[in-house]
C-alpha cells in the first residue's frame, strides 16, 4: 500500500484537521469536561470494537472474554504509572504486550474449539482474571485500585484510536489478514489450502488482545480508579454489542457502532429508569430489520481495500 498516494494524503489531512478542531474546542472550554469524557469513552470503545471485530467478525472466533484483556491492560498500566512511577507510554506499551501474551496463552489451548465451546472457554477465562484481581491486595483487591495518574487525554485517545484502526486495516490487507478471513469463510477449505488455521487464529486473538490492553490502559489512566467489577462479563457483552450493531466484518461498522451506541446511551441518561429498556428496544429493532448490523460487511472508501468478505478467498 502506497503511503503517500492522493487518497492517503487526503485521509491524513482530514484526521489532522479533525484532531486540531477538537483540541481547540476542548482547550478553549467550548466543549466541557463531560463532553471530553464521552469523547474519550468513544475512542476507547472504538479500539475495543475493532480489536474484537478482528477476532469475531473477520476470523470467525466467538469470544466472550474481551473485557479480561482490557482488565489486564488497565491493571498493568496502573501498576506501571502509579506504583512504579514510569512514563505513560511505557504503561501503554506494556499493557498491550502483556494483554497480547495473555491472548496467546489462552488462545493456544482454546482456539482449537469452535462456536459455543470457544465462547464458554473465553467466558471462563474472563471470570478467572476477575477472581484473580479480586484476591490480589497489591492491586487493591475487591476495593479497587486508587490514585492512578490521569495521563489519558484527547491526544492520547485519538492517537491510539487512529493507530488501532490503521494497523488492523493494514493487517487485514495483508496475506495474514486474508488467511484469517479465509478461516472465517471455511476453515476446512483454508486448511486444505495449506493455511495453518491454529496459528492465524492465535495471531488474530493476540492482536485483538493487544489493542484491548491499550484500551484498558487509556481507561485506567483517565478515571483514576479501577476495580475488577468494571471488567466483568457484561463489559464483554457491551463490546460484542457494538461489533454486532455496527456490522461483523466491518471496521467502519465498529467505528460507527461505538459512536452511535455511546451517543444513544448519553442521550438516554436523562431517563435513567427507562434508559436500558429503550436501549434494548433500539438494539432489538436493528437486529430485526438489519440483522447484519448498520454496515453489514461494507466499508467506507478509505477502509475498503482488502477487507470485504467477498474477497476473502483470494488471499
Amino acid at each position: 500500500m502506497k503511503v503517500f498516494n492522493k487518497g492517503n494524503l487526503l485521509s491524513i489531512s482530514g484526521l489532522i484537521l479533525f484532531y486540531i478542531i477538537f483540541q481547540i474546542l476542548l482547550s478553549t472550554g467550548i466543549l466541557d469536561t463531560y463532553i471530553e469524557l464521552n469523547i474519550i469513552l468513544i475512542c476507547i470503545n472504538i479500539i475495543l470494537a475493532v480489536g474484537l471485530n478482528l477476532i469475531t467478525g473477520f476470523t470467525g472466533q466467538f469470544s466472550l472474554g474481551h473485557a479480561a484483556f482490557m482488565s489486564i491492560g488497565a491493571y498493568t498500566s496502573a501498576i506501571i504509572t502509579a506504583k512504579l512511577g514510569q512514563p505513560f507510554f511505557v504503561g501503554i506499551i506494556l499493557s498491550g504486550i502483556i494483554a497480547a501474551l495473555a491472548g496467546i496463552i489462552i488462545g493456544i489451548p482454546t482456539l482449537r474449539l469452535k462456536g459455543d465451546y470457544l465462547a464458554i472457554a473465553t467466558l471462563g477465562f474472563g471470570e478467572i482474571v476477575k477472581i484473580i484481581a479480586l484476591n490480589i491486595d497489591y492491586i487493591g483487591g475487591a476495593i479497587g485500585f486508587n490514585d492512578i495518574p490521569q495521563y489519558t487525554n484527547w491526544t492520547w485517545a485519538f492517537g491510539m484510536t487512529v493507530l488501532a484502526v490503521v494497523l488492523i486495516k493494514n493487517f487485514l490487507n495483508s496475506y495474514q489478514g486474508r488467511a484469517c478471513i479465509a478461516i472465517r469463510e471455511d476453515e476446512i477449505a483454508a486448511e486444505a489450502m495449506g493455511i495453518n488455521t491454529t496459528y492465524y487464529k492465535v495471531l488474530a486473538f493476540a492482536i485483538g488482545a493487544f489493542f484491548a490492553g491499550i484500551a484498558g490502559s487509556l481507561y485506567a489512566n483517565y478515571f483514576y480508579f479501577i476495580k475488577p467489577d468494571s471488567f466483568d462479563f457484561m463489559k464483554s457483552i457491551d463490546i460484542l454489542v457494538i461489533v454486532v450493531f455496527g456490522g461483523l466484518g466491518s471496521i467502519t461498522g465498529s467505528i460507527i457502532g461505538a459512536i452511535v451506541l455511546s451517543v444513544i446511551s448519553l442521550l438516554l441518561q436523562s431517563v435513567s429508569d427507562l434508559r436500558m429498556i429503550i436501549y434494548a428496544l433500539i438494539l432489538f429493532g436493528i437486529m430485526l430489520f438489519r440483522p447484519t448490523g448498520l454496515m453489514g460487511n461494507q466499508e467506507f472508501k478509505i477502509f475498503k481495500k482488502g477487507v470485504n468478505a467477498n474477497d476473502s478467498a483470494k488471499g
Side-chain angles (χ1 to χ4, degrees):
M1 183 177 181
K2 296 181 179 179
V3 177
F4 297 109
N5 61 31
K6 182 178 179 181
N8 284 340
L9 287 175
L10 288 174
S11 298
I12 293 169
S13 300
L15 288 171
I16 293 173
L17 181 62
F18 181 79
Y19 164 77
I20 292 173
I21 291 173
F22 262 82
Q23 183 62 41
I24 292 173
L25 293 175
L26 291 170
S27 60
T28 56
I30 297 175
L31 298 179
D32 58 22
T33 54
Y34 180 69
I35 298 297
E36 182 182 14
L37 180 151
N38 283 280
I39 291 172
I40 289 176
L41 278 178
I42 288 173
C43 289
I44 291 172
N45 285 335
I46 290 173
I47 296 171
L48 290 167
V50 295
L52 182 59
N53 211 345
L54 173 62
I55 298 170
T56 301
F58 289 100
T59 314
Q61 307 306 302
F62 187 26
S63 173
L64 289 177
H66 209 58
F69 302 116
M70 182 184 181
S71 173
I72 291 170
Y75 277 103
T76 299
S77 185
I79 292 170
I80 295 297
T81 56
K83 291 188 175 293
L84 302 182
Q86 297 300 310
F88 185 38
F89 74 89
V90 175
I92 286 182
I93 293 171
L94 289 180
S95 294
I97 291 173
I98 293 176
L101 290 175
I104 294 171
I105 292 171
I106 187 62
I108 291 174
T110 62
L111 289 183
R112 296 180 183 273
L113 303 173
K114 298 178 182 179
D116 297 341
Y117 299 103
L118 176 60
I120 293 170
T122 54
L123 174 60
F125 170 71
E127 290 302 307
I128 290 171
V129 172
K130 177 182 173 182
I131 295 301
I132 291 174
L134 284 169
N135 289 278
I136 298 179
D137 292 334
Y138 181 72
I139 57 175
I143 298 174
F145 199 128
N146 293 294
D147 301 324
I148 304 170
Q150 190 185 40
Y151 291 136
T152 301
N153 53 27
W154 163 242
T155 300
W156 278 108
F158 181 77
M160 291 299 103
T161 302
V162 172
L163 181 67
V165 171
V166 170
L167 289 182
I168 290 178
K169 168 187 173 291
N170 281 281
F171 172 79
L172 291 167
N173 288 340
S174 69
Y175 169 80
Q176 290 78 11
R178 290 186 175 275
C180 290
I181 298 174
I183 291 169
R184 180 197 64 189
E185 295 297 308
D186 192 326
E187 187 169 342
I188 295 175
E191 287 181 344
M193 294 298 294
I195 294 174
N196 186 337
T197 57
T198 300
Y199 168 77
Y200 287 110
K201 287 192 288 186
V202 172
L203 178 62
F205 215 74
I207 294 173
F210 176 83
F211 286 109
I214 288 178
S217 176
L218 295 172
Y219 182 92
N221 286 97
Y222 187 78
F223 289 99
Y224 302 104
F225 171 77
I226 54 175
K227 59 180 181 178
D229 290 341
S230 302
F231 312 100
D232 59 6
F233 167 68
M234 288 309 300
K235 182 62 179 177
S236 292
I237 294 297
D238 287 343
I239 304 167
L240 182 62
V241 166
I242 291 173
V243 173
V244 175
F245 181 83
L248 289 168
S250 171
I251 295 176
T252 308
S254 294
I255 297 171
I256 294 176
I259 295 172
V260 171
L261 289 180
S262 297
V263 171
I264 289 173
S265 181
L266 175 64
L267 294 176
L268 295 178
Q269 286 185 3
S270 60
V271 286
S272 57
D273 294 337
L274 299 175
R275 183 165 63 95
M276 291 310 297
I277 297 175
I278 298 173
Y279 189 70
L281 289 174
I282 292 172
L283 291 177
F284 177 77
I286 287 291
M287 293 301 99
L288 184 63
F289 298 106
R290 182 74 176 177
T292 57
L294 291 179
M295 293 296 296
N297 58 12
Q298 301 302 310
E299 303 284 4
F300 286 155
K301 186 175 180 180
I302 58 173
F303 296 124
K304 190 172 183 180
K305 182 180 178 181
V307 297
N308 195 299
N310 294 329
D311 298 328
S312 60
K314 298 179 182 178

